[in-house]
Amino acid sequence: MISFNIPPYTGRERPYIDQVLGSQHLAGDGAFTKACRKWLESYSGCESVLLTPSCTHALEMAALLAEIEPGDEVIMPSYTFVSTANAFVLRGAKIVFVDIRPDTMNVNERLIEDAITPRTKAIVPVHYAGVACEMDTIMSIAKKYNLVVIEDAAQGVMSTYKDKVLGTIGDAGAYSFHQTKNYTSGGEGGALLVSTPAWQERAEIIREKGTNRSQFFRGQVDKYTWMDIGSSYLPSELNAAYLYAQLEEAEAINTRRIASWENYYKQLQPEAESGKIELPYIPEECCHNAHMFYIKTKDVEERSALMEWLKHRNIQSAFHYVPLHTSRAGQTFGRFHGEDEYTTKESERLLRLPMYDGLREEDIKAITDAVRRFYA
Ligand SMILES: *Cc1c(COP(=O)(O)O)cnc(C)c1O
């Protein structure tokens, strides 16, 4: 059986976790959290990176920082994970979905401006498959209308747009370290990158249950107290220890993933050239992280048949998001602006093939051979 996903594992997670157990400091913001933070800040260039228990929590923190209030509107693609929308719905916002571009599956930046109303407060681009949205256009629209930009960069760790690290271009960005992502903190985890200086102090307070405990630990205040609303958005040191082992290997993992992605692409190019399938498109400004390798079939029926075909050959594959605007909650909390020209149609054609660190060349050969035989 070729699995669809296997969580990354470097071997150093165990000794690091043992180190935490031995230190008897298990709660958040210990040595490993600090090391992860330092690594992420130095890699991204962002001044303030806070580890969180998940990307979902990082997005919730971003919604609090953006001071989203009941009645505010937040623009995002419908082709995304529920957490992108939930974080803002929890603050009372109405979600305004706009269509995606069929080439990258990212929000169509040219449709955003038309969806803006006097109640619009934020734009939330989602960097699907670790391939950046057209951020120059999105940032200039945000500037023109004085909107906040929060990047859902859950899939975008180690990806760039015009040499800028994803998650650092907007006011804030959210990373995921869930076990299905390129790097994990032991199953669940995330980080919030806070680029807007005015949000950085408040982000620490919100993360520490609304207290200034972070400043207290740094010796900046002599006691800590309740300052603001907040919650517990710190992961355990055990999670940080797991993550640190992965961050130390991040370059090597990324290089191996890219090699797998390029191998897939090369093997399947003839099928794409003869018009049987479509392959992913990477805009020139984007350096991606091989978060996923997907193909597009003719339609949903062909996709189901191909999935079955692969399953019979012991190969797992997966489709992806059911567009949020078609869901019960999506209809309650959101509306689709404009026409759904591509969101539903393209989501029904997309099929993800196995992708993880450690996927072998012979596995890719077996998978691509199986796809080829299906179309023969
Ligand atoms: C994985 C993912 C999330 C959620 O991440 P968690 O860490 O599981 O909370 C949010 N948005 C996108 C686009 C994702 O892919």
Side-chain angles (χ1 to χ4, degrees):
M1 166 72 86
I2 303 178
S3 300
F4 173 66
N5 184 259
I6 295 175
Y9 185 72
T10 70
R12 252 180 294 186
E13 292 83 351
R14 258 178 232 274
Y16 285 173
I17 284 172
D18 273 344
Q19 213 172 303
V20 174
L21 294 175
S23 78
Q24 300 185 334
H25 182 119
L26 308 178
D29 278 347
F32 277 106
T33 304
K34 288 200 182 92
C36 290
R37 176 175 185 165
K38 211 167 145 212
W39 191 98
L40 287 162
E41 287 175 350
S42 130
Y43 146 74
S44 69
C46 177
E47 271 177 30
S48 176
V49 180
L50 303 171
L51 287 198
T52 58
S54 68
C55 178
T56 301
H57 286 91
L59 289 164
E60 288 176 17
M61 283 183 69
L64 283 165
L65 288 166
E67 299 181 69
I68 301 294
E69 286 168 8
D72 288 346
E73 291 179 356
V74 177
I75 297 172
M76 66 179 64
S78 167
Y79 187 66
T80 184
F81 190 58
V82 294
S83 297
T84 322
N86 252 329
F88 299 91
V89 170
L90 281 167
R91 309 254 60 79
K94 189 92 185 165
I95 306 300
V96 178
F97 298 113
V98 299
D99 209 7
I100 53 168
R101 298 165 40 150
D103 57 354
T104 58
M105 304 298 283
N106 283 332
V107 65
N108 186 339
E109 67 280 357
R110 281 169 297 131
L111 302 177
I112 292 174
E113 194 161 4
D114 193 57
I116 292 172
T117 74
R119 316 198 80 155
T120 307
K121 194 85 167 265
I123 307 171
V124 187
V126 180
H127 305 298
Y128 187 71
V131 178
C133 299
E134 217 317 278
M135 289 307 290
D136 276 357
T137 308
I138 292 172
M139 293 309 291
S140 74
I141 295 168
K143 197 164 174 212
K144 182 170 165 193
Y145 293 91
N146 196 23
L147 305 175
V148 161
V149 175
I150 292 158
E151 299 173 71
D152 183 339
Q155 304 173 13
V157 183
M158 299 291 279
S159 292
T160 58
Y161 167 84
K162 296 189 178 174
D163 295 327
K164 290 182 202 139
V165 168
L166 299 195
T168 67
I169 304 166
D171 296 279
Y175 284 171
S176 174
F177 298 119
H178 185 264
Q179 73 165 53
T180 54
K181 302 301 201 287
N182 292 23
Y183 311 97
T184 180
S185 47
E188 305 282 349
L192 180 69
L193 291 77
V194 189
S195 293
T196 292
W199 287 4
Q200 287 169 357
E201 188 182 320
R202 187 159 187 245
E204 283 191 341
I205 290 171
I206 286 173
R207 180 166 168 271
E208 268 286 15
K209 301 93 183 164
T211 74
N212 56 349
R213 184 151 77 168
S214 301
Q215 293 176 335
F216 172 70
F217 283 148
R218 284 197 299 265
Q220 292 164 331
V221 289
D222 59 10
K223 53 179 174 300
Y224 75 86
T225 176
W226 189 19
M227 306 284 286
D228 200 339
I229 56 166
S231 189
S232 185
Y233 292 117
L234 283 80
S236 149
E237 268 295 279
L238 294 167
N239 293 103
Y242 199 107
L243 180 63
Y244 193 61
Q246 310 236 316
L247 294 179
E248 283 185 318
E249 291 276 323
E251 278 298 343
I253 292 173
N254 196 49
T255 304
R256 291 193 291 267
R257 292 186 77 111
I258 297 278
S260 293
W261 194 98
E262 281 171 357
N263 190 3
Y264 262 126
Y265 196 95
K266 193 177 82 206
Q267 300 288 339
L268 291 173
Q269 216 160 9
E271 317 314 302
E273 275 159 13
S274 59
K276 291 172 182 135
I277 58 171
E278 276 175 41
L279 295 179
Y281 164 73
I282 313 291
E284 216 173 298
E285 318 67 68
C286 301
C287 206
H288 73 111
N289 59 0
H291 173 61
M292 70 175 79
F293 191 89
Y294 65 77
I295 61 173
K296 285 189 192 161
T297 60
K298 181 160 64 59
D299 52 27
V300 69
E301 286 79 24
E302 189 178 285
R303 181 179 72 179
S304 303
L306 176 55
M307 275 185 88
E308 270 302 300
W309 174 273
L310 293 173
K311 198 171 137 201
H312 280 118
R313 281 149 189 83
N314 285 318
I315 299 163
Q316 288 183 344
S317 61
F319 50 82
H320 215 177
Y321 309 125
V322 174
L324 296 184
H325 74 284
T326 65
S327 68
R328 186 171 73 182
Q331 284 168 7
T332 309
F333 301 119
R335 64 180 165 82
F336 198 96
H337 179 85
E339 194 196 334
D340 172 9
E341 196 179 346
Y342 294 114
T343 300
T344 299
K345 194 172 105 210
E346 298 301 302
S347 69
E348 288 180 343
R349 300 171 59 208
L350 186 141
L351 183 67
R352 297 178 293 160
L353 300 177
M355 175 58 90
Y356 51 86
D357 183 30
L359 183 65
R360 299 169 311 171
E361 251 183 78
E362 60 253 47
D363 296 332
I364 296 176
K365 175 105 183 22
I367 297 160
T368 53
D369 279 349
V371 171
R372 218 180 337 273
R373 280 200 306 276
F374 175 82
Y375 284 102

